Structure formats: structure tokens, C-alpha cells
Amino acid sequence: MVQYTWRMNTRSVYLLPLLLSACVDYGFSPGTEPGVEPLDTSITDTGIPQSILVVSPERVDFGEVELGDSASAVVTLRNEGSIPLDLTDIDLISDGTPFTVGPASDGELAPDDVAEVVVTYSPVQGIEHESSVVVESTATVDPSWRVPLTGNGLRTQFDVDMQLTADDSWSATLDGDPIGGTNQNAWSSADVLVFDLERGEHVVAVHAWDVARVIAGFMAVVRVDGEPIAVSGGSGWTVSTVAPATGWDVPGFDDSAWAVPNLCADPSAWGNRPTSLTDDGAEWVWHDANCRSLGEAWFRLSFTLE
């Protein structure tokens, strides 16, 4: 019978505790059940008195505000700590914007106290504006805050002028109301018409006809704040060769079946006149390229101010 003798190396005796301690060092704990969260031993309450500044809302959007009007909003400052805090500075990040900020209703906030700051937006330009209110305090937690401000100045009135002429006579309306001038029978010059228009859709409607029975043509330019937005020969204008239905001269009329005016094939007949229109890129147009077809035509332009 063979006998076996088991001997434990003394080095193994010393290694076993080391292996067990290594498991503990690397986060393994023999006997811990899988899925059991470890005990959170972090300190959640320091016991040290502190002041906590909380600002709301964190952003202010005034939306659209008409030029000349103002809108205001209230930013609330609260001390959610256990000791008082002082509000040391409340200001905008930059000057020259249409935003203004008032002082806080209270410069010192005891625990649970609230102060209010009024921010006002008064746009004078029809553009989007941005700024921020910066709040500084002696709070031990979150002592500084920045509240972004946004607003959109809404323009309601626009300076519009237009020049019209035809070879050799015309009548016109703006949004259904008659417009005209003294030079309607002088194709080499143009009537200058000036309007203050509100935002929205507008329609220029022109009935042009030839009287001398030699050559026919129509030319126009419409400007907003001095900049051309529509010229004859460009986009936007439509033309009809027959008298249109009632309502053709006001917004909402469907002119999708109308044609695009044609450039007159021989503009030399007018000698590049009137220059007050040709300098802005306007060209002589008619319902067909043969501007010697005479007759009459109805032109329509719809444009939106916003």
C-alpha cells in the first residue's frame, strides 16, 4: 500500500493572508452578496453654517416687443442657506443695449428671504438683442450668477417710396387705395410716391396703357428705407392682358395664373430714361417682348414688410 504525505510549504502560509488582503484592496469583499450597493459613507452635512444664493428664472426671453414699447420681467434672488448674505453687485455685462436693470429690492438677505430685480427691454431697432444680468454676492455657495437676456425688436412702421411710369399713361392703387401723381403722361420722368406702411402684406396694382399708339411699356421701382426691394424686370411683378376680376388690387388675390412681364426687346426707344429708375436696375417691360403691340396691361406686385 502506497502512502502519500501532504506537506504545506511555509511560504504558502504567509501568502494566503496577502491574497485575501489584496482582494479587499481592490474592492472585493468575500461574502458580499452580488447586487448589494455599498454603504455610502460620504459626509452630506458638514454642520458648517452657509448662505446659498439661488436665482430664478435662469434665463429671460422677452419675445417680440414693438419698437417704442417696453416689457419688464422680475428676477428673484433667494437665500436658501442658514446665515445671511449680501448682494454686492447687480449689473448688465455691457452698455449700449436696450436692456436696463434696476437695483435689488433688498441688499441683505436673511435665510429664506427674497429680493426682486426688475429687468426692462425697450427696443429701438427691429433686430434681435442679447445681454446678461450679472449678480454678485457674499454667499458661501453659488455667490455669482449670470442670467441671459434675449428680445426681438418688432418694427411696425416702414418708410416706403415708389416710382412709377408708363408709356404713356397709367393709374394705380396701393392696397386698393388710389395713388398717382402729375407726371402720368410723361414717360421720360416718374412720379415719386412716399408712404408709411405697417408690417404685413401690401399690393401695388397698376393699369398701364398706350395713348399715342406708337410704343408701350411700364417701369417701376419700390424701395424700403431707400433700398430697392422690387424693380420692373425683376422678380415679384406679374402681368395680365385682360381686365382682372374685382379684388385684384388688394392682398389675398390669387395671381398665380398671371404671366411674368417680358423685357422690352428694344429699350433704346426710351434712351435709358427715366434715369431715376434705370439707375436702380428697373427695366421697361410689357406683357410681351414686342413692346409695339400697343393695347393695355395690368401689373401687380405683392410684397411683405416684416
Side-chain angles (χ1 to χ4, degrees), residues 39 68 85-86 111 114 117 157 164 185 208 277 279 296:
L39 180 64
L85 65 84
D86 291 323
V114 172
V117 175
Q157 291 288 328
L164 306 172
N185 294 320
L277 280 76
D279 286 350
E296 56 188 338

Side-chain angles (χ1 to χ4, degrees), residues 91-202:
D91 205 353
L92 296 170
I93 60 171
S94 59
D95 296 328
T97 68
F99 300 99
T100 56
V101 58
S105 56
D106 192 348
E108 181 183 70
L109 297 182
D112 295 326
D113 272 1
V114 172
E116 294 183 341
V117 175
V118 177
V119 184
T120 303
Y121 176 53
S122 306
V124 293
Q125 291 178 294
I127 58 175
E128 294 182 355
H129 299 94
E130 294 182 354
S131 187
S132 292
V133 174
V134 177
V135 180
E136 301 288 350
S137 74
T138 60
T140 55
V141 178
D142 295 331
S144 300
W145 285 75
R146 176 174 290 192
V147 181
L149 308 174
T150 55
N152 187 12
L154 185 64
R155 185 175 180 181
T156 58
Q157 291 288 328
F158 296 81
D159 298 325
V160 177
D161 72 90
M162 61 186 73
Q163 290 183 289
L164 306 172
T165 191
D167 191 356
D168 48 19
S169 193
W170 59 274
S171 64
T173 62
L174 173 62
D175 299 336
D177 296 324
I179 58 176
T182 59
N183 293 323
Q184 288 177 275
N185 294 320
W187 61 264
S188 60
S189 60
D191 284 294
V192 180
L193 310 172
V194 179
F195 307 93
D196 289 326
L197 299 184
E198 295 184 352
R199 62 185 290 112
E201 184 182 0
H202 300 276

